[in-house]
Amino acid sequence: MRYRVVSACAAVLVVAGLVSPAGAAAGARLAAAFSQTSVWDSGYGASYTLSNTGGAASAAWTVEFDLPAGSTVSSSWSSVRSQTGQHYRFTNVSYNGVIASGASKSFGFNVAGLGTPLSCTVNGAPCGGGGNPPADTTAPSVPQGLRTTAVTSSSVSLSWSASTDDVGVTGYEVLRDGVVAATATTTSATVGDLAPDTAHTFQVRARDAAGNTSAASGPVSARTLPGSGGPVVDVATAAQLTAALANAAPGQTIRLAAGTYRGSFVTQRAGTVTAPITLTGPASAVLVNDGPSGEAPSCPVPTAGWDSGYGLWLVDAPYWTLTGFTVAESKKGIVLDNSHHVTIDAVSVHHVDEEAVHFRRSSADGVIRNSTITDTGLVQPGYGEGVYIGSAGSNWSCHGNSGGADRSDRVQVVGNTIGPRVAAEPIDVKEGTHAGVIRGNTFHGQGITGQNSADSWVDVKGIGYLIEDNTGTFASPGTFVNGYETHNPSSTPSFSNGCGNVWRRNTSDLGGVGQYAIKITSVSQCGGNPNVVHSSNTVTNAVTGLTNIPVTP
């Protein structure tokens, strides 16, 4: 069963065709209406409604169409679907084949990608009655909500809300100072090759398959950071990397050559807001820690004779940028302790014993974006989170360095692919953390183990998070209860944990297993700061539905 909220701007295209004698009783005439019922950054939901305007009932129906390359039907309902390449065929099921005169029946489907049906036929006849459909002359709606998500000395990252169109949006153009500087097929983009310390104005416009282009969005301005002007340190061995991390200076770039680096990689060197430190390398530069070893201290801090086993560990090291490389085969992937304003971009973390990326000990104002995480929790499945924000209150005796709490606040998790085979939650938001953003991520739930109560894509115990434009799926094997969950643990110091969070434009496929897309555990505990689930969220293949609380338009 599919549960969804249909956008008021749903696009509708009506096409009619004569029913062939083999497919229906004589005198039946069907019109097939295609409708985009919801649109998100990487796809859409749609339906065909077949209406019989003839004088006799139809006996059966078959709808066939092609999708452009790059778009695929990911799920469907109220029909039997088959596929050959980009060609799709839908036939009726037992309860909707017979359509009485004057009646209608429908079926629906989701598409991964923005391409819309082409060359549609109904029972072998052209859907348009043998003629071409009318030319599409309607431009998409103007993109809304343009905002910056990250700024470096040479780039500005942007995101915005999806446009709608009568046929379908196929992409976006990003304007820098009035000139097209980037294109995108999703609702985010990074404009690069910019000069340091330079102001720019950005806008975005949408386009459809017919080439119609919307008006430009409202502008947003951003200034690139000052250039570091610092030296580049090239490393090619584990010993060179260890030394570079130990001696890093503001404005410096440490550049990894391709290869495997085995060792304990730790830095306690701080960058600055105007001169961050960068560690960069290709995906084929792989950091591996074969530890842990030695006697661990009561709380994890760099200690002589002890190897934490972490793939990369930043301690008291704010203002770093980590880009491009891979961390694998370690106890934990990347751990940030008291390291605020750290950006992790286009990094891969996989095959780790516990969690992949941890913002810990008040590592606030960090960003992880455009990164890929798979295969976590290989030794401790219940601790195999993809991205872990903050610490459990029971661990604040070690990590509660901000008034007794771990205030890893305002962390942004944007545009990442997390899963499959992430043994715990793809994102775990711990109590006491505030005002983060979880946007535009893709969650593959296959492999969630259920251990240590890990049974959802995102577990939110934090306060005031914005969770939007994410896509989640689940397929066995795994243990899966809800897509998103809130919990309200008590803590000392006390916060309104699990309250004041907002969900909008998230797309959830619960695989016929999950109960709710968004499960709000307690309404009463958040009376003064309620959680909000907007009607723009959609769900398919849910056991129960979209959410257990009233939705907000």
Side-chain angles (χ1 to χ4, degrees):
M1 176 175 271
R2 173 180 170 86
Y3 302 81
R4 69 178 183 280
V5 178
V6 178
S7 167
C9 299
V12 176
L13 172 64
V14 177
V15 287
L18 293 174
V19 179
S20 64
R29 182 182 179 89
L30 298 181
F34 169 75
S35 174
Q36 278 188 316
T37 52
S38 58
V39 180
W40 49 93
D41 61 346
S42 59
Y44 62 88
S47 67
Y48 269 102
T49 299
L50 290 91
S51 301
N52 187 357
T53 59
S58 68
W61 51 260
T62 299
V63 172
E64 298 183 62
F65 57 76
D66 299 321
L67 283 179
S71 296
T72 58
V73 174
S74 56
S75 61
S76 58
W77 53 97
S78 300
S79 62
V80 177
R81 181 177 92 241
S82 59
Q83 175 186 357
T84 303
Q86 292 300 111
H87 184 77
Y88 292 86
R89 186 175 188 266
F90 298 83
T91 59
N92 59 273
V93 290
S94 59
Y95 57 81
N96 64 0
V98 176
I99 305 178
S101 176
S104 63
K105 299 290 177 67
S106 64
F107 70 97
F109 52 95
N110 286 332
V111 172
L114 298 175
T116 52
L118 305 169
S119 305
C120 176
T121 63
V122 179
N123 290 353
C127 285
N132 293 322
D136 176 18
T137 59
T138 302
S141 65
V142 177
Q144 302 294 317
L146 180 64
R147 53 200 175 271
T148 59
T149 57
V151 179
T152 72
S153 61
S154 61
S155 68
V156 174
S157 296
L158 305 153
S159 66
W160 55 90
S161 301
S163 295
T164 58
D165 185 63
D166 60 338
V167 176
V169 175
T170 58
Y172 298 89
E173 297 175 341
V174 179
L175 309 176
R176 183 193 71 217
D177 303 325
V179 178
V180 175
T183 60
T185 57
T186 63
T187 56
S188 62
T190 297
V191 179
D193 297 323
L194 304 178
D197 197 21
T198 304
H200 296 281
T201 298
F202 299 92
Q203 295 171 285
V204 62
R205 61 194 184 199
R207 64 178 186 273
D208 62 19
N212 301 306
T213 303
S214 74
S217 69
V220 64
S221 296
R223 176 179 287 274
T224 53
L225 297 177
S228 65
V232 174
V233 177
D234 286 312
V235 301
T237 68
Q240 291 172 346
L241 175 58
T242 299
L245 292 171
N247 297 292
Q252 192 175 76
T253 294
I254 303 170
R255 189 163 58 193
L256 297 159
T260 299
Y261 298 75
R262 292 186 178 273
S264 179
F265 302 117
V266 185
T267 187
Q268 295 178 271
R269 308 287 289 185
T272 68
V273 64
T274 57
I277 303 170
T278 298
L279 175 62
T280 185
S284 55
V286 184
L287 277 56
V288 174
N289 189 330
D290 294 317
S293 64
E295 184 176 350
S298 57
C299 291
V301 293
T303 302
W306 176 62
D307 178 356
S308 66
Y310 304 168
L312 178 64
W313 192 10
L314 274 63
V315 183
D316 303 327
Y319 295 106
W320 275 70
T321 299
L322 313 175
T323 68
F325 56 88
T326 296
V327 176
E329 300 176 32
S330 304
K331 179 181 179 181
K332 301 178 188 288
I334 300 172
V335 178
L336 313 178
D337 277 333
N338 194 38
S339 298
H340 54 86
H341 290 92
V342 172
T343 295
I344 303 170
D345 190 5
V347 164
S348 174
V349 182
H350 62 84
H351 291 91
V352 292
D353 297 348
E354 297 176 5
E355 73 267 28
V357 176
H358 197 160
F359 293 84
R360 194 170 69 179
R361 293 196 81 234
S362 303
S363 293
D365 299 295
V367 178
I368 177 170
R369 64 181 184 231
N370 307 321
S371 296
T372 301
I373 296 171
T374 67
D375 300 282
T376 66
L378 300 183
V379 173
Q380 297 243 42
Y383 299 95
E385 295 87 356
V387 177
Y388 198 137
I389 302 173
S391 304
S394 57
N395 291 323
W396 286 355
S397 58
C398 280
H399 305 310
N401 60 329
S402 296
D406 183 340
R407 294 295 300 272
S408 294
D409 294 344
R410 298 176 300 280
V411 171
Q412 298 184 49
V413 186
V414 180
N416 305 284
T417 298
I418 307 178
R421 300 177 302 281
V422 169
E425 299 92 345
I427 302 178
D428 194 0
V429 179
K430 305 309 285 188
E431 54 265 33
T433 64
H434 291 68
V437 174
I438 300 171
R439 175 187 296 129
N441 302 284
T442 299
F443 306 124
H444 298 291
Q446 185 182 50
I448 295 176
T449 63
Q451 294 193 30
N452 199 25
S453 301
D455 53 17
S456 62
W457 300 313
V458 182
D459 190 343
V460 184
K461 305 178 192 72
I463 306 99
Y465 278 72
L466 175 60
I467 303 163
E468 64 179 5
D469 298 321
N470 301 288
T471 299
T473 62
F474 176 78
S476 62
T479 299
F480 189 66
V481 176
N482 299 293
Y484 303 82
E485 296 179 346
T486 65
H487 293 96
N488 312 94
S490 59
S491 63
T492 303
S494 179
F495 300 99
S496 56
N497 294 317
C499 300
N501 304 292
V502 176
W503 283 261
R504 61 190 184 196
R505 298 188 306 275
N506 298 288
T507 303
S508 302
D509 182 347
L510 305 188
V513 175
Q515 301 290 316
Y516 290 103
I518 305 164
K519 174 68 180 294
I520 305 301
T521 300
S522 175
V523 173
S524 61
Q525 292 191 56
C526 300
N529 189 20
N531 292 293
V532 177
V533 177
H534 284 282
S535 59
S536 56
N537 296 285
T538 63
V539 64
T540 57
N541 299 315
V543 172
T544 307
L546 175 64
T547 184
N548 62 317
I549 66 171
V551 298
T552 299

